[in-house]
Amino acid sequence: MAGNAALSVGVLALQGAFREHMRMLEVLGVQAREVRLPADLEGLHGLILPGGESTTISRLMTDYALWDPVRQFAVAGGGVWGTCAGAIMLARTIEGVSPNLGAQPGLGLLDITVRRNAFGRQVDSFAVPLDVRGLDGPFPAVFIRAPLIERAGPEVEVLATQAGGAVLVRRGRVMASSFHPEVTTDPRLHSLFLKGLSEL
Ligand code: GLN
């Protein structure tokens, strides 16, 4: 894990499960930093957008003037991984938005269409052993009021599927998962993200 010590990775820490991601990064020996302000992005190799409530995170992104800086961070080659609400934030198209809220803003960094809360209320949280391309055994995937990636553009690589849609996708250094790897003790997806940061 020596290589990880050279990596600085931020976790957007406005709302949601950011502490769990911070812990996982620390376990992996990465320099982890909570990100709340544009200046916090400086010098980072990667940024994790955690799960939580995407409309709340969006509102706070506006309050903290983070939309453009995060977009620029990705365009400049920084890696970004969105988990659950974070995956919604990354999508080009967001479905399943409450009509009285109007259009939900997004970063549009991944050519995917996500449907919010796609798994229905009665089963809105569940765990499954998920086959993930590139991993040596199933990953314990925890879905919490999760979105489904209903469409992935031709340049987006689908790494795992569930319920007829994609739940883990990647394009270059930008990755999105419907589920919450940070609430498990399995570091393999965090390692996959980190590997992408030093490889590409
Ligand atoms: N349902 C939430 C949303 O739409 C996402 C849930 C989560 O991140 N666990 O924002």
Side-chain angles (χ1 to χ4, degrees):
M1 239 155 260
N4 286 350
L7 289 175
S8 294
V9 176
V11 183
L12 186 70
L14 301 177
Q15 189 265 341
F18 58 88
R19 290 181 193 86
E20 290 81 352
H21 276 296
M22 289 290 293
R23 248 195 310 273
M24 191 67 99
L25 292 172
E26 281 156 9
V27 165
L28 289 169
V30 172
Q31 299 170 48
R33 183 193 304 166
E34 293 184 0
V35 170
R36 292 190 181 81
L37 299 169
D40 296 333
L41 293 167
E42 217 153 288
L44 293 180
H45 301 98
L47 174 68
I48 296 178
L49 311 176
E53 169 52 46
S54 58
T55 54
T56 305
I57 296 175
S58 295
R59 197 158 28 78
L60 293 166
M61 292 265 296
T62 302
D63 291 350
Y64 287 76
L66 277 165
W67 288 105
D68 281 343
V70 171
R71 269 192 207 104
Q72 278 156 20
F73 175 77
V75 169
V80 186
W81 175 19
T83 58
C84 203
I88 298 170
M89 311 278 308
L90 282 175
R92 185 165 293 173
T93 310
I94 305 171
E95 302 283 4
V97 180
S98 156
N100 46 17
L101 285 179
Q104 181 169 331
L107 290 161
L109 288 171
L110 261 184
D111 181 20
I112 56 174
T113 300
V114 294
R115 178 165 298 277
R116 292 182 61 195
N117 304 319
F119 293 90
R121 276 173 198 274
Q122 70 283 18
V123 283
D124 49 20
S125 299
F126 60 97
V128 288
L130 188 71
D131 287 327
V132 174
R133 204 203 285 181
L135 292 193
D136 48 9
F139 188 88
V142 178
F143 291 81
I144 305 168
R145 291 181 59 71
L148 189 64
I149 302 165
E150 292 186 332
R151 183 195 62 84
E155 293 179 335
V156 177
E157 192 186 355
V158 175
L159 300 179
T161 58
Q162 175 77 13
V167 292
L168 177 64
V169 297
R170 181 170 62 180
R171 183 179 179 226
R173 288 194 178 123
V174 182
M175 187 162 114
S177 57
S178 298
F179 50 97
H180 284 261
E182 77 286 3
V183 302
T184 72
T185 52
D186 191 328
R188 288 179 295 165
L189 280 192
H190 286 77
S191 293
L192 187 73
F193 177 61
L194 298 176
K195 199 160 161 254
L197 299 183
S198 33
E199 242 174 26
L200 293 171

